[in-house]
């Protein structure tokens, strides 16, 4: 007979709520239908008829037919917040789930689902887009598998991460290892990032990029677009590469602006205009809206950038636009 | 809408003449974003279409004096019932949230016709669903491209401040003003002049706060991030039933994943997102409403607040699965004897019938 019960332990140690009742059987404190306090897989030393009797008694007492299993506990290792440990208690073999240790400064092993690792991983995403992004290649964060953080004397804090990234346009996923160094607070320095992935550039986008580049170069009239995406999340198919370029260009800003206390995503390309340029690249001026999750602010940036298939996206100028408070005064209503 | 009504009348006329089945062509599109007037009209329509199960209730006013309304859904048993609270659209730019509330309503009404479990739940509980809480803010986001990303309500700033709006989800009386907020009235997380200073927050506080013992669940719907958040937003406070909330939340996340494979992370806000105070979820839990969750729906930043309309359906389907998991759990925990008793009664009745040879016809 195997009981599974769910628990989540706090911080450094995991406690099993067990009280001995009329014999050497561990029971669960507050044995109500579903309020357990430990995910415990109990394997009794031997099948014992007394266990069955006690269960029946408890069932009668609580009045609930649904005593035994909590639905979430069947596969103990599936819970993303926890780590499973084996131990032995009162002669019973016990598998116990513990929350990954994490102290207030998020140092040491990180819980991959908690915000410190997630924010660091997002920075890696921005870095990948800066390095490798194009109208046909864009990266999103898929999952953080594990992470570690430590203070580096005089330099800041260093994170090591195992993550999976998703190439959004071709919908492929792959694993990467990354290391990043957040500078000390107050220092005007980009996070330094190193990433290695299995086969990051495995899908060749050369043909598509060349075709698009030629099309942009040969435009009779210079391209422009606004509100990518629009209020409904839509954009014209022809504008999608421009949206991608906006994301890649924005990634330079987001990489530069990111700290351990921020989480950036590009909310919208407010407008993007193609400028005249020489044959080696195409040039764009764009106004982007970045969403910073922690402050919930929408931050406006103007970017001047070039793109060519061999050189990728190069940001020439970036300028943060002032927060237009007056714009928020509501119009006359009713 | 007048066109719709005329179309419906025409179809009705033609149908009755030809003795065909009467049906309505113009059905509400749950997979498009709707402006406030359409949502209000939809609420009236739903109540008209299901008078035995649905009533519209007014329970407050926005700053701009709009009436805040909810749909009360449940079977009238004449007895005092337990309740489920769901609100959407506390933050104006999170358009997927009101879309979900509308979908949720349509789904429970659909299930009520055929699903025994839903019928049981509607007998035992009332659902109070507010499709758009921050109506002023929501309407503002529909004005033009420049207003789409507005978050707060529309109260004017305090004296001397040039900016508008309070973050309603920092305005509730739950560790108000302690962490994850700003006293700068231009900030997106400005907490207001005092706890529950805002009429929208007052409406919820009064409606729920005068009957907190009725509520089993308090679900507040937001976007984006794909998260299920449990109380509390303050890192120094742990919910008395934290373990249970995590268990139920993880069960909900599993249910969500089964629909379209999307991962939703479960945890307290200080763990998985950021610390905050004054949230409606925290306030509800402090009223001893046991199952209080914030849903952060799709996506994870690619489109953010401007989630494409072709993602409304899958997002709503998965979120419905998650919400239903929590609601069903809360219901079964409270009414767990009911099913067993009913089943037992049925068995005994059938046995008696069999023994006596009587026919049930």
């Amino acid at each position: 007979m195997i009981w599974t019960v769910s628990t989540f332990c706090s911080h450094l140690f995991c406690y099993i709520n067990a009280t001995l009742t009329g014999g050497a059987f561990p029971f669960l404190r507050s044995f109500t239908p579903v309020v357990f306090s430990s995910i415990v897989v109990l394997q009794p030393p031997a099948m014992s008829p007394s266990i069955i009797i006690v269960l029946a008694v408890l069932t009668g007492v609580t009045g609930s037919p649904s005593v035994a299993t909590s639905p979430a506990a069947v596969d103990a290792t599936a819970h993303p917040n926890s780590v499973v440990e084996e131990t032995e208690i009162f002669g019973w073999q016990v598998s116990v789930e513990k929350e990954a240790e994490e102290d207030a400064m998020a140092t040491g092993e990180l819980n991959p689902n908690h915000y410190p690792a997630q924010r660091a991983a997002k920075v890696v995403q921005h870095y990948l887009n800066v390095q490798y992004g194009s109208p046909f290649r864009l990266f999103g964060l898929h999952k953080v598998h594990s992470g570690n953080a430590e203070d580096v004397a005089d330099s800041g804090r260093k994170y090591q991460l195992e993550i999976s990234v998703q190439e959004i346009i071709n919908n492929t996923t792959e694993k990467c290892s990354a290391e990043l160094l957040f500078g000390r607070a107050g220092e005007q320095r980009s996070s330094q990032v190193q990433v290695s992935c299995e086969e990051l550039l495995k899908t060749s986008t050369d043909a598509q990029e060349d075709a698009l580049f030629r099309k942009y170069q040969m435009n009779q009239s210079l391209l422009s677009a606004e509100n990518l995406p629009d209020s409904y999340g839509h954009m014209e198919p022809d504008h999608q590469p421009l949206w991608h370029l906006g994301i890649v260009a924005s990634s330079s800003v987001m990489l530069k602006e990111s700290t351990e206390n921020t989480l950036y995503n590009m909310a919208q390309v407010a407008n993007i205009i193609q400028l005249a340029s020489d044959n080696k690249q195409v040039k764009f001026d764009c106004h982007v809206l970045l969403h910073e999750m922690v402050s919930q602010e929408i931050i406006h940036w103007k970017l001047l950038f070039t793109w060519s298939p061999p050189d990728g996206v190069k940001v020439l100028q970036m300028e943060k636009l002032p927060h237009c408070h007056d714009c928020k005064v509501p119009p006359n209503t009713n | 809408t007048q066109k719709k009504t005329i179309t419906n009348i025409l179809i009705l006329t033609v149908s009755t003449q030809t003795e065909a089945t009467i049906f309505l062509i113009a059905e509400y599109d749950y997979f498009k974003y709707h402006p406030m007037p359409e949502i209000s009209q939809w609420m009236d329509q739903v109540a008209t279409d299901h008078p035995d199960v649905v009533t519209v209730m007014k329970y407050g006013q926005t700053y701009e004096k709009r009436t805040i309304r909810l749909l009360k859904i449940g079977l009238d048993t004449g007895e005092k019932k337990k309740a489920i609270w769901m609100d959407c659209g506390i933050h104006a730019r999170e358009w997927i949230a009101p879309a979900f509330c509308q979908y949720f309503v349509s789904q429970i009404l659909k299930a009520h016709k055929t699903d025994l479990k839903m019928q049981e739940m509607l007998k035992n509980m009332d659902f109070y669903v507010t499709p758009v809480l921050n109506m002023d803010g929501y309407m503002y986001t529909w004005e033009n491209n420049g207003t789409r990303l507005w978050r707060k309500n529309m109260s004017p700033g305090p004296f001397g401040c040039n900016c508008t709006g309070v973050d309603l989800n920092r305005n509730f009386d739950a560790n108000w003003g302690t962490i994850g907020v700003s006293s700068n009235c231009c900030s997106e997380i400005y907490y207001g002049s005092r706890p529950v200073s805002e009429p929208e927050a007052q409406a919820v506080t009064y409606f729920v706060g005068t009957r907190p013992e009725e509520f089993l669940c308090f679900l507040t719907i937001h976007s984006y991030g794909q998260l299920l958040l449990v109380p509390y937003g303050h890192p120094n406070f742990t919910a008395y039933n934290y373990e249970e909330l995590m268990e139920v939340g993880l069960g909900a996340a599993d249910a969500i994943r089964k629909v379209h494979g999307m991962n939703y992370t479960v945890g307290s806000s200080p763990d998985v997102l950021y610390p905050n105070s004054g949230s409606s979820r925290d306030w509800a839990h402090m009223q001893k409403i046991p199952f209080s969750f914030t849903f952060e729906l799709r996506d994870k930043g690619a489109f953010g607040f401007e989630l494409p309309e072709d993602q409304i359906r899958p997002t709503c389907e998965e979120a419905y699965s998650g919400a239903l998991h929590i609601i069903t759990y809360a219901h079964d925990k409270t009414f767990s004897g009911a099913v067993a008793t009913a089943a037992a009664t049925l068995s005994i009745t059938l046995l008696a019938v069999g023994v006596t040879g009587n026919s049930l016809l």
Side-chain angles (χ1 to χ4, degrees):
Chain A
M1 180 186 304
I2 294 173
W3 297 342
T4 50
V5 167
S6 64
T7 188
F8 289 93
C9 314
S10 53
H11 299 291
L12 293 178
F13 57 91
C14 177
Y15 58 98
I16 301 164
N17 287 311
T19 53
L20 300 177
T21 313
F25 309 121
F27 290 119
L28 300 154
R29 188 180 64 183
S30 62
F31 199 75
T32 53
V34 279
V35 180
F36 303 118
S37 50
S38 294
I39 293 185
V40 177
V41 177
L42 301 175
Q43 292 176 309
M47 282 294 288
S48 168
S50 18
I51 296 172
I52 300 162
I53 292 165
V54 170
L55 258 184
V57 167
L58 284 168
T59 307
V61 165
T62 60
S64 165
S66 57
V67 164
T69 56
S70 73
V74 173
D75 176 10
T77 54
H79 292 151
N81 289 0
S82 332
V83 162
V84 178
E85 277 187 5
E86 299 283 330
T87 182
E88 201 189 284
I89 296 175
F90 306 114
W92 294 57
Q93 204 56 33
V94 169
S95 304
V96 168
E97 281 193 348
K98 263 174 69 153
E99 273 184 351
E101 294 182 40
E102 177 185 350
D103 71 20
M105 293 302 285
T107 298
E109 194 186 329
L110 301 175
N111 185 313
N113 288 306
H114 288 190
Y115 73 75
Q118 290 287 326
R119 288 179 195 175
K122 185 64 88 165
V123 177
V124 176
Q125 174 199 310
H126 297 322
Y127 174 82
L128 286 173
N129 281 321
V130 169
Q131 290 295 311
Y132 306 110
S134 85
F136 298 97
R137 188 184 290 120
L138 267 186
F139 297 101
L141 175 64
H142 183 249
K143 203 175 156 112
V144 180
H145 299 290
S146 66
N148 200 283
E150 60 183 9
D151 286 310
V152 178
D154 295 335
S155 302
R157 279 168 57 77
K158 186 172 89 164
Y159 283 72
Q160 283 165 320
L161 301 168
E162 300 293 322
I163 64 177
S164 286
V165 299
Q166 187 184 29
E167 200 288 284
I168 295 168
I169 297 166
N170 289 304
N171 199 18
T172 58
T173 309
E174 58 196 304
K175 288 197 162 170
C176 299
S177 299
E179 214 172 83
L180 78 124
L181 184 66
F182 282 112
R184 287 244 168 272
E187 281 182 7
Q188 278 299 313
R189 194 170 24 146
S190 264
S191 322
Q192 291 167 39
V193 187
Q194 284 171 295
V195 192
S196 76
C197 304
E198 287 169 352
E199 295 167 53
L200 197 62
L201 306 175
K202 58 179 168 229
T203 324
S204 171
T205 52
D206 292 347
Q208 293 167 294
E209 290 186 27
D210 288 340
L212 186 74
F213 184 64
R214 256 176 283 128
K215 181 170 155 209
Y216 284 175
Q217 277 184 313
M218 289 175 353
N219 276 337
Q220 298 287 45
S221 57
L222 297 169
L223 276 174
S224 76
E226 332 183 283
N227 303 311
L228 309 178
D230 69 12
S231 295
Y232 309 89
H234 298 150
M235 71 189 84
E236 275 167 54
D238 272 354
H239 291 161
Q240 218 174 40
L242 295 171
W243 178 57
H244 295 159
L245 281 169
I247 294 175
V248 176
S250 295
S251 297
S252 294
V253 179
M254 297 193 284
L255 178 62
K256 177 172 164 292
E257 295 289 300
S258 286
T259 69
E260 287 168 284
N261 302 314
T262 60
L263 186 80
Y264 278 97
N265 290 294
M266 188 190 82
Q268 192 190 54
V269 176
N271 67 56
I272 180 164
I273 308 167
Q274 186 183 6
L275 303 173
S277 74
D278 60 37
N279 277 349
K280 294 215 195 90
Q281 59 255 323
V282 288
K283 197 191 258 187
F284 295 94
D285 190 27
C286 71
H287 178 162
V288 297
L289 308 178
L290 305 183
H291 174 235
E292 201 289 292
M293 183 72 80
V294 180
S295 64
Q296 292 291 347
E297 296 292 333
I298 302 293
I299 309 169
H300 298 239
W301 284 79
K302 263 197 146 272
L303 299 169
L304 184 68
F305 68 91
T306 60
W307 172 61
S308 71
D311 297 326
V313 171
K314 295 272 174 273
V315 176
L316 304 177
Q317 283 174 34
M318 50 170 81
E319 183 195 346
K320 184 168 168 180
L321 298 176
H323 196 180
C324 178
H325 292 166
D326 289 338
C327 302
K328 285 185 178 179
V329 173
N332 291 328
T333 51
N334 296 337
Chain B
T1 48
Q2 274 199 339
K3 211 161 117 182
K4 274 188 202 171
T5 319
I6 293 167
T7 316
N8 294 343
I9 292 167
L10 278 171
I11 293 159
L12 216 67
T13 318
V14 171
S15 310
T16 46
Q17 284 177 350
T18 58
E19 289 176 311
T21 318
I22 293 166
F23 64 94
L24 292 172
I25 277 184
E27 264 240 11
Y28 193 77
D29 193 342
Y30 291 95
F31 309 124
K32 288 244 173 309
Y33 296 117
H34 292 273
M36 197 66 228
E38 286 178 18
I39 297 177
S40 299
Q41 186 179 50
W42 166 83
M43 289 175 76
D44 292 325
Q45 189 66 49
V46 169
T48 307
D49 290 348
H50 303 89
D52 50 334
V53 206
V54 182
T55 21
V56 180
M57 291 177 77
K58 304 176 187 176
Y59 71 100
Q61 260 193 345
T62 65
Y63 172 76
E64 291 174 347
K65 302 277 182 280
R66 294 187 173 91
T67 305
I68 307 176
R69 305 187 308 155
L70 55 73
L71 292 172
K72 177 184 176 184
I73 306 170
L75 294 163
D76 191 0
T77 59
E79 289 171 16
K80 201 148 190 261
K81 299 170 68 177
K82 290 295 183 186
I84 305 286
W85 173 271
M86 182 182 287
D87 67 76
C88 296
I90 259 195
H91 290 138
R93 59 194 180 196
E94 299 165 10
W95 282 15
I96 186 62
F100 173 66
C101 264
Q102 293 164 71
Y103 175 83
F104 179 82
V105 165
S106 77
Q107 284 302 112
I108 62 178
L109 290 173
K110 200 161 140 192
H112 147 254
K113 293 197 184 105
T114 55
D115 182 58
L116 285 172
K117 183 66 183 178
M118 184 58 72
Q119 284 170 9
E120 183 200 348
M121 294 207 285
L122 286 168
K123 231 182 281 168
N124 292 328
M125 307 185 299
D126 287 324
F127 290 74
Y128 294 94
V129 181
T130 302
V132 185
L133 179 60
N134 181 6
M135 296 165 73
D136 296 347
Y138 185 70
M139 292 185 77
Y140 187 56
T141 60
W142 278 80
E143 288 216 4
N144 59 62
N145 289 309
T147 62
R148 174 62 176 84
L149 295 175
W150 186 257
R151 170 181 167 89
K152 302 187 281 183
N153 75 349
M154 294 308 262
S155 320
F159 180 77
C161 180
N162 212 7
C163 299
T164 303
V166 171
D167 184 345
L168 293 173
N169 208 34
R170 303 286 186 279
N171 188 244
F172 283 79
D173 192 5
N175 295 318
W176 180 85
T178 53
I179 193 169
V181 291
S182 174
S183 56
N184 179 348
C185 76
C186 295
S187 163
E188 295 284 15
I189 51 175
Y190 171 57
Y191 56 6
S193 50
R194 60 179 191 282
V196 215
S197 56
E198 302 310 296
E200 297 87 354
Q202 287 167 15
V204 177
T205 300
Y206 187 76
F207 187 88
V208 176
T210 47
R211 62 196 88 178
E213 68 288 342
E214 282 179 30
F215 286 93
L216 300 177
C217 289
F218 186 97
L219 306 179
T220 180
I221 315 296
H222 294 245
S223 75
Y224 58 91
Q226 294 179 209
L227 309 167
L228 298 179
L229 302 173
V230 305
Y232 288 103
H234 196 296
N236 294 355
F237 293 84
T238 306
Y240 71 87
N241 60 343
Y242 173 78
E243 287 90 357
E244 188 182 19
L245 285 169
M246 286 300 294
E247 184 189 330
V248 182
L250 287 165
D254 284 344
I256 290 174
R257 195 176 305 113
K258 287 197 172 85
V259 184
H260 296 298
M262 286 303 193
N263 284 317
Y264 279 58
T265 303
V266 184
S268 71
S269 197
D271 280 347
V272 301
L273 184 58
Y274 45 55
N276 67 359
S277 57
S279 70
S280 62
R281 169 205 66 229
D282 286 356
W283 172 82
H285 196 268
M286 287 174 169
Q287 309 312 302
K288 310 240 187 302
I289 298 173
F291 300 103
S292 190
F293 289 85
T294 305
F295 277 58
E296 295 280 357
L297 302 180
R298 287 195 196 182
D299 58 17
K300 293 189 78 79
F303 290 94
F305 301 115
E306 294 170 330
L307 194 69
E309 285 180 312
D310 64 14
Q311 285 199 47
I312 296 179
R313 178 188 273 241
T315 307
C316 286
E317 286 170 343
E318 68 202 15
Y320 179 75
S321 218
L324 198 61
H325 177 91
I326 297 169
I327 291 165
T328 307
Y329 177 94
H331 168 272
D332 289 352
K333 187 177 177 188
T334 313
F335 300 96
S336 56
V339 176
T341 313
T345 312
L346 184 62
S347 322
I348 291 166
T349 313
L350 288 171
L351 193 63
V353 163
V355 164
T356 60
N358 284 336
S359 163
L360 272 173
L361 294 172

